[in-house]
Amino acid sequence: MSTATDDRYNTLEKSMKKLGYDKSALIETLHTAQETFGYLGIDTLKFIAQRLRLPYSKVYGVATFYNYFRLKPKGKHNVVVCMGTACYIKGSNKILEKIEQRYGIKVGETTPDNVLSLLSARCFGSCSLAPVVVYDNVPKGKVTVEDSLCEIEEMIK
C-alpha cells in the first residue's frame, strides 16, 4: 500500500509533526510506527528517514539495535520465553529448543502460516516462578517443556 493512500502513514505523520520532526525523537517515532503498523517494514523505515531527514542506515540501525522493535509482522499467537538467569537455570533454554524443533522456527521468527511467533526476553522479573513463558500476553510460571508444548497446541487450535 502506498504512503499516500494508507491512513496509518497519516497517523505517523501527525505524531512526527507533534514532535516537531525532531531527529532526537527517532525512538519515539519508531514506537509510534510499530504501534500503528504492528511492525516496522522497510517502507515505513524509509518514510521515517525521509520525514526526519535522517539517513536510512541510521533509522534501520536503531530499529535493529533494540530487541523491542520487530521488522516482520507478528503471528496470530505469540510465545515469549524468558531467558533470564533464573529461568535459564531452570530450563528455559530447553523449552525454547523444543518449541523451535516442534514448529520449525527460531527465536524472532513466525511460522510460514503466520500462526505462531516465537520470541525471547532477557528477564520478566518473575524469577521466583522460573521458568516463565508468556502465551499471548498471559504469563505462566514453573513451566515444563511438556506443559509449554501443550499450552501452545491449545492456544493455536
Side-chain angles (χ1 to χ4, degrees):
M1 188 172 277
S2 126
T3 58
T5 58
D6 190 337
D7 283 341
R8 296 176 296 179
Y9 284 102
N10 289 334
T11 302
L12 185 57
E13 182 78 38
K14 286 177 188 172
S15 174
M16 288 187 287
K17 185 176 181 180
K18 185 177 174 184
L19 297 169
Y21 296 98
D22 188 355
K23 294 175 182 175
S24 66
L26 174 57
I27 292 176
E28 188 169 341
T29 301
L30 291 172
H31 278 280
T32 301
Q34 185 161 289
E35 288 170 15
T36 304
F37 291 89
Y39 70 102
L40 301 172
I42 291 174
D43 290 343
T44 305
L45 295 177
K46 286 180 179 176
F47 179 80
I48 292 169
Q50 180 187 26
R51 293 295 198 238
L52 295 184
R53 298 178 191 254
L54 288 168
Y56 173 72
S57 60
K58 178 166 180 113
V59 175
Y60 182 82
V62 171
T64 56
F65 179 79
Y66 293 100
N67 286 341
Y68 174 79
F69 295 122
R70 292 182 306 277
L71 301 182
K72 294 180 180 174
K74 289 190 329 183
K76 182 177 177 186
H77 299 283
N78 296 287
V79 174
V80 185
V81 180
C82 181
M83 296 301 286
T85 303
C87 287
Y88 188 87
I89 289 171
K90 296 277 188 161
S92 64
N93 59 326
K94 292 177 181 137
I95 293 169
L96 196 61
E97 287 173 15
K98 285 294 183 188
I99 296 170
E100 287 177 339
Q101 288 173 358
R102 172 74 62 94
Y103 296 98
I105 56 174
K106 296 284 184 190
V107 170
E109 294 181 346
T110 300
T111 54
D113 59 0
N114 291 325
V115 171
L116 181 67
S117 292
L118 179 61
L119 303 166
S120 67
R122 289 193 174 262
C123 183
F124 292 137
S126 301
C127 302
S128 63
L129 298 174
V132 176
V133 179
V134 176
Y135 307 94
D136 282 342
N137 298 321
V138 178
K140 301 240 173 157
K142 300 186 187 269
V143 176
T144 65
V145 171
E146 295 76 24
D147 292 344
S148 186
L149 294 175
C150 287
E151 188 74 35
I152 294 169
E153 288 296 321
E154 284 295 315
M155 186 173 70
I156 64 174
K157 266 188 185 176

